[in-house]
Amino acid sequence: GAVVSQHPSRVICKSGTSVKIECRSLDFQATTMFWYRQFPKQSLMLMATSNEGSKATYEQGVEKDKFLINHASLTLSTLTVTSAHPEDSSFYICSASPRLGETQYFGPGTRLLVL
Amino acid sequence: QQQVKQSPQSLIVQKGGISIINCAYENTAFDYFPWYQQFPGKGPALLIAIRPDVSEKKEGRFTISFNKSAKQFSLHIMDSQPGDSATYFCAASMRTGYSTLTFGKGTMLLVSP
């Protein structure tokens, strides 16, 4: 199956700082990548759809100025949590599809803890 | 509005038993139904998926049963093993567009030795 990686796997930061999370498709090109957020013992919540070369599409209620998404190439999308606060602490997971309408493959996730 | 309802929320099965997780959907435009397995601290991994043109799909110990008229689908894990203990999510999507997945709330499965 297709492989998606994320970096870092976990990060601890101070309140007010910004954190960047990278998502890479290792063996396929991904025109579209997805960013999810997952709280403990809950389901995945789609935050935004990242499109290569264009602006991301954010889900209702997700602050686009706080969660900056850049999809600069067909294999890399980044999520930057700006001015992070403790309530942003969560498990962030990206996914990608090799083709539109096909299976999404998920990255291993990034655990963010904001102190 | 939750578009994919998953049950049960948690499930305990003895080793060697059959684990059954059910999902129901509302949007008739959905035509792709994957199941994901997630271990603690890891991302979800695709387990098995089905499209509505078949009523059943089997891969090893894992089987999806699909009932289009009832808008329901289920995951059966045969000969459940302790290593199957994980959280399982059903999902649904449309093949057109960006293939956004709508997830169920998940089922925590514990297989006792």
Side-chain angles (χ1 to χ4, degrees):
Chain A
V3 180
V4 176
S5 70
Q6 277 183 247
H7 178 80
S9 59
R10 58 177 59 212
V11 57
I12 301 174
C13 69
K14 293 181 179 180
S15 183
T17 61
S18 295
V19 175
K20 180 185 285 188
I21 302 170
E22 292 186 349
C23 176
R24 294 182 185 273
S25 55
L26 298 185
D27 52 1
F28 65 96
Q29 293 183 332
T31 306
T32 303
M33 291 183 171
F34 304 88
W35 286 96
Y36 294 83
R37 184 173 180 175
Q38 186 179 35
F39 291 107
K41 298 188 178 183
Q42 292 191 21
S43 189
L44 288 81
M45 182 189 77
L46 180 66
M47 298 175 66
T49 301
S50 170
N51 305 297
E52 188 267 337
S54 65
K55 292 183 178 180
T57 302
Y58 291 82
E59 294 299 300
Q60 190 174 9
V62 177
E63 300 176 59
K64 62 180 181 181
D65 294 330
K66 181 169 188 61
F67 299 99
L68 300 179
I69 291 174
N70 183 275
H71 195 151
S73 76
L74 289 172
T75 59
L76 173 64
S77 176
T78 60
L79 168 69
T80 301
V81 183
T82 63
S83 186
H85 289 92
E87 57 265 29
D88 298 324
S89 299
S90 188
F91 194 49
Y92 291 87
I93 311 171
C94 70
S95 71
S97 293
R99 290 171 294 278
L100 286 177
E102 294 296 332
T103 296
Q104 287 185 31
Y105 294 91
F106 285 82
T110 297
R111 176 77 59 192
L112 171 63
L113 176 61
V114 184
L115 301 177
Chain B
Q1 180 183 6
Q2 184 188 2
Q3 296 190 45
V4 178
K5 294 184 178 180
Q6 183 172 346
S7 64
Q9 188 175 7
S10 62
L11 180 62
I12 300 175
V13 173
Q14 284 195 330
K15 179 181 177 181
I18 303 174
S19 303
I20 302 174
I21 304 171
N22 302 298
C23 283
Y25 62 98
E26 300 168 7
N27 189 344
T28 55
F30 288 146
D31 61 2
Y32 178 69
F33 304 91
W35 284 90
Y36 288 89
Q37 179 189 57
Q38 186 179 30
F39 293 103
K42 304 295 184 183
L46 179 67
L47 196 60
I48 187 172
I50 197 169
R51 299 196 190 278
D53 52 343
V54 296
S55 60
E56 185 176 284
K57 183 175 182 180
K58 183 177 181 179
E59 290 184 1
R61 296 185 293 109
F62 302 94
T63 300
I64 298 179
S65 296
F66 185 81
N67 186 327
K68 188 175 182 178
S69 61
K71 294 188 287 185
Q72 295 175 347
F73 58 109
S74 60
L75 175 69
H76 291 64
I77 305 175
M78 312 298 288
D79 187 26
S80 299
Q81 299 297 312
D84 297 330
S85 298
T87 298
Y88 294 81
F89 293 97
C90 64
S93 73
M94 294 175 277
R95 292 187 69 187
T96 57
Y98 293 116
S99 65
T100 302
L101 285 168
T102 299
F103 282 90
K105 290 192 173 183
T107 297
M108 292 182 62
L109 171 65
L110 176 63
V111 181
S112 59

